[in-house]
Amino acid sequence: MKVGVNSAGIVGLMLFLFGCGQLAKTSTVKQNSDSASQNQIGAMLDSFNVAAAKADYDRYFSFFADDAIFIGTDATEHWDKQRYMLWAKPYFDKKRTWSFTSIQRHIYMGKAGDIAWFDELLNTQMKICRGSGVVVRQGGIWKVQQYVLSMTVPNSQTKKVVEQKAVEEDAIIKELISR
């Protein structure tokens, strides 16, 4: 798979994980302007996570806009919706998906009320991850336009993590710089 220079970096994939999910029990919604929309977005993100946990392929991908982008935890994972669907299909077919539960969420509304962005901490099989992205209102329904999944690294562990990933990511960096 080709990696684009603008691929948003610290990304990986949530698809090789297993599980069943539940609705987020703790959700912090920032009160900017439209709390009804923020609540709708929060409920949509919870349902999005449940669909993945239940390996409900059609429902999960219905939450994405047609031209959505998914960015995973691996630096090579920068996919449009169609490529992401192709990649994910075998995992959903085998019911070997992932279970993410929001443990903290922030939602920010654009001034026009038809776009919002979010960040959240997720309880996952990879321990704490961060999901972030952009959602857009299309026909009165909130859709994920861009989703970024990243693993968190405690500051006290950064040196060890960098040492472990250096060889593999140095090769990626070299390839991207040479383009």
Side-chain angles (χ1 to χ4, degrees):
M1 172 172 312
K2 221 173 186 181
V3 178
V5 173
N6 291 329
S7 66
I10 58 171
V11 288
L13 240 355
M14 52 193 191
L15 292 176
F16 51 83
L17 303 173
F18 306 52
C20 289
Q22 60 181 343
L23 293 177
K25 292 190 164 110
T26 305
S27 181
T28 304
V29 177
K30 292 288 183 185
Q31 299 298 322
N32 285 354
S33 60
D34 186 350
S35 62
S37 289
Q38 291 169 319
N39 289 336
Q40 290 170 359
I41 293 165
M44 181 272 292
L45 291 170
D46 290 338
S47 296
F48 170 76
N49 287 331
V50 168
K54 291 183 176 180
D56 187 340
Y57 181 85
D58 292 332
R59 180 147 172 78
Y60 176 74
F61 282 102
S62 75
F63 290 105
F64 286 94
D66 290 341
D67 58 347
I69 298 295
F70 175 85
I71 301 169
T73 59
D74 187 287
T76 65
E77 297 170 346
H78 186 274
W79 297 328
D80 64 32
K81 180 180 178 179
Q82 294 306 311
R83 289 189 338 179
Y84 182 40
M85 290 175 74
L86 287 171
W87 185 90
K89 185 80 166 99
Y91 296 94
F92 278 82
D93 288 348
K94 293 175 188 171
K95 305 291 187 209
R96 296 178 64 111
T97 53
W98 56 94
S99 177
F100 292 177
T101 304
S102 179
I103 52 179
Q104 181 185 64
R105 178 180 290 148
H106 306 100
I107 298 171
Y108 308 91
M109 298 300 301
K111 291 182 186 200
D114 60 348
I115 189 168
W117 52 99
F118 67 92
D119 63 84
E120 60 186 346
L121 294 179
L122 300 162
N123 182 7
T124 81
Q125 295 85 342
M126 297 179 285
K127 299 302 171 197
I128 297 174
C129 285
R130 184 178 313 279
S132 61
V134 175
V135 294
V136 294
R137 190 186 325 247
Q138 295 180 342
I141 299 170
W142 288 101
K143 297 279 188 171
V144 174
Q145 184 67 55
Q146 181 182 65
Y147 188 87
V148 180
L149 178 66
S150 53
M151 286 193 239
T152 62
V153 177
N155 289 335
S156 64
Q157 300 300 309
T158 299
K159 184 176 179 180
K160 290 180 199 173
V161 171
V162 170
E163 288 170 358
Q164 288 189 318
K165 68 182 198 152
V167 172
E168 190 171 336
E169 289 193 356
D170 283 347
I172 294 170
I173 291 167
K174 185 177 179 180
E175 179 186 341
L176 291 173
I177 290 173
S178 70
R179 290 183 186 179

